[in-house]
Amino acid sequence: MKVLAGFFRKSLKYSAMVIALLISASVWAQEKDYITVNGVVKDSKTKERLVFSGIYVPGTSIGTVANSEGQFTLKIPKTLNVQEFGISHLGYHNGIFPVSDGNGRRENVYYLDPASVEIKGVVVRPKDPRTLILQALNRIEDNYSRVPNTLTGFYRETIKQRRDYVSIAEAVTEIYKSPYKFTLESDRIKVIKGRKGDNVKKADTLIVKMQGGPNVSLYLDIVRYPELILGLEEMKHYQYELTDMVSIDNRSNYVISFKPLAKLEYPLYYGKIYVDVESLAITMAEFSMDISDVEKATQAFVRKKPAGLIFEPVSTSYLVTYKKLGDRYYLNYMRSEIKFQADWKKKIFKTSYTLMSEMAITERDTVNAAKIAAKESFKPYAILTDKVNEYFDEDYWGSYNTIEPDESIQSAIAKYNRRFKR
């Protein structure tokens, strides 16, 4: 148990599960080089927006993710001569659409049809969900890349004080993704280009920063780093239940819910793991930290804080998805959100904060992976807002695919730009 606890403490230091809080008083591309497809994804029956949908170009490694309002922008190099692009979402049939329909149009609507899972033809598996998880872990080397990959990812982090953004930072990153097999290698990441905006509204006496930047998203890859919720030692502390079957990328998936069985010296998690019925690959996971023990949860989150400050976590949520390309699954999208309240002992009112980070993998090179030099890599203790430039240029990202900012983020960026121009 001491070894396990030590590992957990180390994982807390660098893991996205517990985004660290520090509390104290490239090449430009011409528009002509790529086609831009804009749109919003909706349910064909309810007309509701489908958030975090996967946007991809069939037969390539190019893609992005719709934002929290279902909006997306996809940039496709003209040299590929692509005629179609695809959209996928949990519980829906994949949709294939002509590229020309969305080219240059801001709010073109793309509808997906709900998918029901046909029991006929479904592979029969043991009913014990714990056994399913163990089988999925045993097949990691069969289902995921055994060789390193080079990934391009778009990363965004935001900090809100109540309803106002106090910090927004974004970066295009290069990632050296180590193999999904036993290896002493670790993932490395470097920032290709990035930008930030700070203090739309100053956070009175409290400064909150996110430590680790894009590194924290990589630790949400629970297939590569299973120790936190899928490690063999950790699994005995959880209860598993097979609760549903859903369609992901037109394939049937088991939905396995889990919750803590025990109370340990550190917080556990509860959530859902999605397992492909045929391949037994883990395709998605969504989970939250058990924060019922406030003192224990506080120790997990806070690195340092001034005397007299009371910190109280309110909620957490984490999401990771994988995309099947050929006969292998690859990391696709990671998102985390933490809400907490801060209260000075002598003050009457509490101040609420929301920290969000997300990363979409927008391109993959599965052949020519080049390891990132240690001196070029973004360090787990670094702070992104200390490393990147201010906002301003409206075409800053050029041909890079990004996650479309939602309306509130877009408004905050506009404020940064107006201030910068002054």
Side-chain angles (χ1 to χ4, degrees):
M1 181 57 71
K2 289 184 178 179
V3 174
L4 179 60
F7 179 87
F8 185 83
R9 285 192 295 271
K10 183 178 179 180
S11 69
L12 288 185
K13 187 176 181 181
Y14 301 117
S15 171
M17 313 305 134
V18 287
I19 294 179
L21 309 182
L22 296 180
I23 300 180
S24 64
S26 31
V27 176
W28 292 89
Q30 302 283 330
E31 179 70 25
K32 65 182 180 182
D33 294 335
Y34 57 89
I35 298 171
T36 302
V37 180
N38 298 297
V40 59
V41 188
K42 293 186 177 183
D43 182 303
S44 63
K45 297 186 180 297
T46 67
K47 305 302 185 288
E48 293 181 355
R49 297 188 178 210
L50 300 179
V51 303
F52 311 136
S53 299
I55 317 298
Y56 63 96
V57 179
T60 76
S61 60
I62 296 172
T64 186
V65 173
N67 66 11
S68 60
E69 296 170 347
Q71 299 170 318
F72 71 90
T73 294
L74 177 67
K75 298 172 183 176
I76 308 171
K78 287 185 176 180
T79 55
L80 295 180
N81 195 28
V82 169
Q83 304 299 316
E84 297 176 324
F85 72 100
I87 304 177
S88 63
H89 193 279
L90 171 67
Y92 289 81
H93 291 295
N94 287 12
I96 300 296
F97 305 94
V99 166
S100 58
D101 283 356
N103 190 17
R105 295 176 62 180
R106 193 62 191 163
E107 277 291 314
N108 203 54
V109 180
Y110 297 93
Y111 293 103
L112 296 185
D113 297 324
S116 57
V117 176
E118 296 183 6
I119 301 301
K120 180 181 178 181
V122 169
V123 179
V124 177
R125 299 288 186 190
K127 292 184 179 180
D128 177 20
R130 186 183 298 271
T131 300
L132 284 174
I133 294 293
L134 288 171
Q135 290 178 340
L137 293 175
N138 288 334
R139 297 192 62 174
I140 286 177
E141 288 192 32
D142 295 327
N143 286 320
Y144 303 85
S145 180
R146 298 181 183 180
V147 298
N149 299 163
T150 293
L151 311 177
T152 302
F154 177 76
Y155 172 80
R156 175 184 291 130
E157 64 180 38
T158 66
I159 301 174
K160 292 172 70 174
Q161 182 195 39
R162 298 187 180 94
R163 296 183 179 181
D164 297 310
Y165 286 96
V166 295
S167 177
I168 299 175
E170 302 173 325
V172 171
T173 64
E174 178 184 324
I175 303 162
Y176 175 81
K177 198 77 182 73
S178 53
Y180 286 80
K181 63 178 182 178
F182 178 77
T183 176
L184 296 178
E185 284 189 310
S186 59
D187 297 344
R188 287 187 179 179
I189 190 167
K190 72 175 181 180
V191 172
I192 298 176
K193 60 188 306 185
R195 62 182 187 175
K196 69 176 179 183
D198 286 317
N199 296 324
V200 170
K201 179 180 179 182
K202 289 189 176 180
D204 50 39
T205 58
L206 195 64
I207 298 173
V208 179
K209 292 186 177 183
M210 293 177 67
Q211 182 179 348
N215 279 286
V216 296
S217 290
L218 294 182
Y219 283 94
L220 276 173
D221 182 0
I222 62 170
V223 175
R224 179 66 181 86
Y225 303 102
E227 292 82 7
L228 207 57
I229 61 174
L230 291 178
L232 296 180
E233 285 295 316
E234 289 298 309
M235 286 184 65
K236 64 185 180 184
H237 301 311
Y238 290 98
Q239 175 183 327
Y240 298 89
E241 182 181 2
L242 186 59
T243 54
D244 202 357
M245 292 188 67
V246 297
S247 175
I248 301 178
D249 278 341
N250 295 338
R251 296 173 63 90
S252 298
N253 278 248
Y254 297 114
V255 182
I256 300 174
S257 299
F258 64 94
K259 61 182 180 181
L261 268 178
K263 290 188 178 295
L264 306 178
E265 64 269 26
Y266 50 83
L268 296 175
Y269 296 84
Y270 60 90
K272 298 177 181 178
I273 298 172
Y274 298 76
V275 179
D276 185 274
V277 168
E278 295 184 15
S279 67
L280 288 181
I282 295 171
T283 59
M284 176 175 166
E286 47 189 355
F287 52 99
S288 301
M289 179 185 285
D290 179 4
I291 59 173
S292 55
D293 188 324
V294 176
E295 182 178 352
K296 193 185 300 181
T298 299
Q299 292 174 355
F301 283 108
V302 177
R303 294 292 170 262
K304 60 180 179 180
K305 69 180 182 68
L309 177 67
I310 300 173
F311 171 90
E312 182 178 339
V314 176
S315 66
T316 70
S317 64
Y318 308 102
L319 171 69
V320 57
T321 69
Y322 300 86
K323 182 75 176 175
K324 192 173 190 290
L325 297 173
D327 60 351
R328 300 280 170 173
Y329 289 80
Y330 297 90
L331 190 64
N332 185 57
Y333 178 67
M334 300 78 73
R335 180 184 174 89
S336 64
E337 185 174 276
I338 296 171
K339 296 182 179 181
F340 70 92
Q341 291 181 333
D343 181 25
W344 295 97
K345 290 182 178 179
K346 295 182 180 181
K347 288 190 175 182
I348 299 176
F349 301 106
K350 296 180 179 180
T351 302
S352 61
Y353 291 86
T354 302
L355 283 71
M356 185 279 293
S357 68
E358 62 181 337
M359 180 183 284
I361 303 304
T362 58
E363 198 161 348
R364 302 167 181 83
D365 186 341
T366 59
V367 179
N368 303 305
K371 193 164 187 177
I372 297 170
K375 64 180 180 180
E376 296 180 341
S377 62
F378 194 93
K379 303 300 186 290
Y381 52 79
I383 296 169
L384 183 63
T385 54
D386 293 342
K387 303 290 184 180
V388 295
N389 301 317
E390 293 281 350
Y391 276 99
F392 181 59
D393 195 328
E394 294 182 0
D395 191 34
Y396 183 77
W397 301 117
S399 62
Y400 286 114
N401 273 299
T402 65
I403 305 171
E404 189 75 1
D406 61 33
E407 185 176 351
S408 62
I409 295 177
Q410 190 64 58
S411 297
I413 291 174
K415 289 182 181 179
Y416 297 148
N417 285 347
R418 286 196 297 270
R419 185 189 64 188
F420 189 90
K421 289 177 180 178
R422 296 194 195 105

